[in-house]
Amino acid sequence: MCQNLGMRLPIREHLFSMSAYSTGRPLDETLRALGVSRVARLASNENPLGPSPKAIEAMKDAASATNYYPDGGGIALREKLAKKLELPIESIVLGNGSDDIIHYLCLALLDEGASIVVGDPSFVRYEAGAQLQKAQVQKVALNDSETHDLNAMAHAIDETTRLVFIANPNNPTGTIVRRVEFDAFLADLPPHVVVALDEAYFEFVSDHDFASAREYLVEGYPVVGLRTFSKAYGLAGIRIGYGFMPAELSDAIDRIREPFNTNALAHAAAIAALNDIDHLRNTLDTNRTAIKRISSILNRYGATTTETHANFVWARFDEPTAPMVDALAKHGVFVRGGAMFGRPNCIRVSMGTENDLDLLENAMATVTTGAQSR
Ligand SMILES: Cc1ncc(COP(=O)(O)O)c(C=O)c1O
């Protein structure tokens, strides 16, 4: 039995100002409590089609050797990515999800008193990485079209700034930064700043003017690209992501990271997923249809939706959405409320299968009041 002897453990004081990421209750438990049998998981921008069958096979094959440590350098996967991206293997870093690499970037670049510049709202893990380093976070409001305001972000950069995070497409809004704006932003970037373009939803983008990190890295800019197998490749549960960056930075991260930060099943699954073009194509087709249908359902109930370049729709209502989010959950439909992004009137709804969206449509009809219906 643990006893409190009145002593405090020497935990770093500033950790108490941070909050733990809430992943919610385990799904099984939630379903039991709600008494629903069918669910639509539309809250975390996952792939509703599941992993590629080839990735599942590869993981089964790799499972029998999991008594051995994995290849800590992840060479086979990094070679594959290097070839695909036409980048040197030294520039590629693997992570236990791209979250892991966000964390390493903060460890490598931020001392106490340094700062990062991020969009608001944007992906929440950037802030956590900075806080851990006792670095400051300069949040810059998105513009009226819910897109990163690169002009304002450039103005927020000062001598303490070391890192700028731009989620492109942005989570939660699904908007993108285009080349023209990003060129202008880079032209004025002071030399002490690295820009991380977080391309977690890269595969879903079809806009020809999209500012892709790879192009800028090749041209020699201090740019990092972050990508993941959690979204279009349907492998969120196995945790594998990657970054590409100037070799000087990947070398620094190699010194920081856990020697086995990515595992053998993840390496095997990711390689197989990259080889399964059909699964990716199917995912992108399903997403196009899903995005249109989700937008039309939400518009019907009075929401204004933002044009998305990812696998989710960001929608704004005239009133707080928390009651609607809770009511939908009672029908087994899980969507993300905007409150965690500081936008209580918004919701984010991820791509789903036809069945998922039937559930969404029926549940919306039941939970929304006449006033919201349009
Ligand atoms: C913009 C963005 N970056 C990174 C991540 C983290 O992805 P991973 O599963 O690879 O850690 C997410 C996940 O939602 C995201 O939306």
Side-chain angles (χ1 to χ4, degrees):
M1 186 77 171
C2 271
Q3 286 184 18
N4 182 349
L5 301 176
M7 289 184 297
R8 280 201 57 187
L9 302 178
I11 294 168
R12 296 163 71 202
E13 195 60 40
H14 80 284
L15 298 189
F16 295 104
S17 63
M18 297 175 62
S19 11
Y21 186 82
S22 163
T23 50
R25 290 152 68 197
L27 188 68
D28 290 350
E29 201 187 298
T30 309
L31 297 188
R32 260 197 314 278
L34 292 173
V36 291
S37 52
R38 285 177 37 190
V39 289
R41 299 175 69 165
L42 310 175
S44 298
N45 306 340
E46 293 148 338
N47 185 336
L49 302 184
S52 140
K54 290 184 179 160
I56 296 174
E57 273 314 302
M59 286 188 275
K60 282 186 189 158
D61 287 348
S64 60
T66 46
N67 53 318
Y68 298 114
Y69 285 102
D71 170 14
I75 299 293
L77 175 56
R78 285 171 60 229
E79 268 174 355
K80 177 107 188 149
L81 290 168
K83 199 160 167 212
K84 183 173 159 65
L85 293 165
E86 298 180 53
L87 289 172
I89 188 169
E90 296 73 33
S91 66
I92 296 176
V93 171
L94 301 181
N96 186 40
S98 51
D99 275 349
D100 200 26
I101 306 176
I102 292 170
H103 175 63
Y104 292 142
L105 286 174
C106 292
L107 290 181
L109 293 163
L110 305 177
D111 273 323
E112 184 173 350
S115 68
I116 66 167
V117 173
V118 295
D120 184 22
S122 191
F123 188 50
V124 291
R125 298 306 297 163
Y126 311 139
E127 193 170 345
Q131 283 175 335
L132 191 59
Q133 295 306 100
K134 293 193 184 177
Q136 302 301 310
V137 181
Q138 300 296 337
K139 292 188 183 182
V140 178
L142 302 185
N143 64 23
D144 290 344
S145 50
E146 302 279 44
T147 307
H148 279 91
D149 184 341
L150 292 192
N151 252 330
M153 289 180 85
H155 278 105
I157 292 175
D158 63 21
E159 66 285 354
T160 67
T161 312
R162 292 291 171 274
L163 190 50
V164 177
F165 280 108
I166 301 173
N168 197 31
N170 189 37
N171 177 5
T173 59
T175 50
I176 55 168
V177 165
R178 295 189 168 82
R179 267 195 220 103
V180 184
E181 311 142 43
F182 194 60
D183 286 348
F185 177 76
L186 281 184
D188 286 337
L189 191 76
H192 57 269
V193 181
V194 170
V195 184
L197 288 172
D198 182 347
E199 300 179 341
Y201 303 94
F202 173 82
E203 293 78 8
F204 296 102
V205 178
S206 55
D207 190 298
H208 295 302
D209 296 324
F210 176 73
S212 158
R214 186 197 160 275
E215 291 170 33
Y216 291 94
L217 179 64
V218 169
E219 285 173 27
Y221 288 102
V223 164
V224 175
L226 298 175
R227 294 200 194 157
T228 180
F229 287 89
S230 297
K231 308 298 178 182
Y233 291 105
L235 289 168
I238 200 80
R239 312 302 300 130
I240 183 83
Y242 59 100
F244 37 93
M245 57 195 75
E248 200 183 340
L249 188 52
S250 53
D251 176 68
I253 289 182
D254 244 353
R255 294 160 201 263
I256 298 168
R257 70 176 178 89
E258 301 281 334
F260 303 110
N261 66 321
T262 56
N263 68 79
L265 298 188
H267 297 162
I271 291 171
L274 287 171
N275 287 333
D276 193 347
I277 306 294
D278 289 342
H279 185 263
L280 180 61
R281 202 172 289 139
N282 197 5
T283 299
L284 302 187
D285 289 346
T286 305
N287 186 50
R288 265 187 294 277
T289 311
I291 290 307
K292 277 197 203 121
R293 185 159 172 213
I294 294 168
S295 304
S296 118
I297 295 170
L298 298 176
N299 292 154
R300 199 182 312 150
Y301 291 99
T304 308
T305 46
T306 305
E307 189 196 355
T308 185
H309 296 262
N311 67 340
F312 53 84
V313 176
W314 180 241
R316 197 181 66 246
F317 286 83
D318 290 337
E319 52 199 59
T321 55
M324 183 199 294
V325 171
D326 289 348
L328 286 171
K330 292 200 175 99
H331 286 78
V333 176
F334 299 97
V335 302
R336 183 71 67 196
M340 75 176 281
F341 298 103
R343 298 283 188 91
N345 287 12
C346 294
I347 57 169
R348 193 193 65 197
V349 182
S350 313
M351 72 183 285
T353 60
E354 254 180 63
N355 283 343
D356 292 333
L357 301 191
D358 288 346
L359 271 187
L360 172 70
E361 191 158 9
N362 293 337
M364 280 297 283
T366 315
V367 307
T368 48
T369 61
Q372 277 167 322
S373 173
R374 202 190 261 173

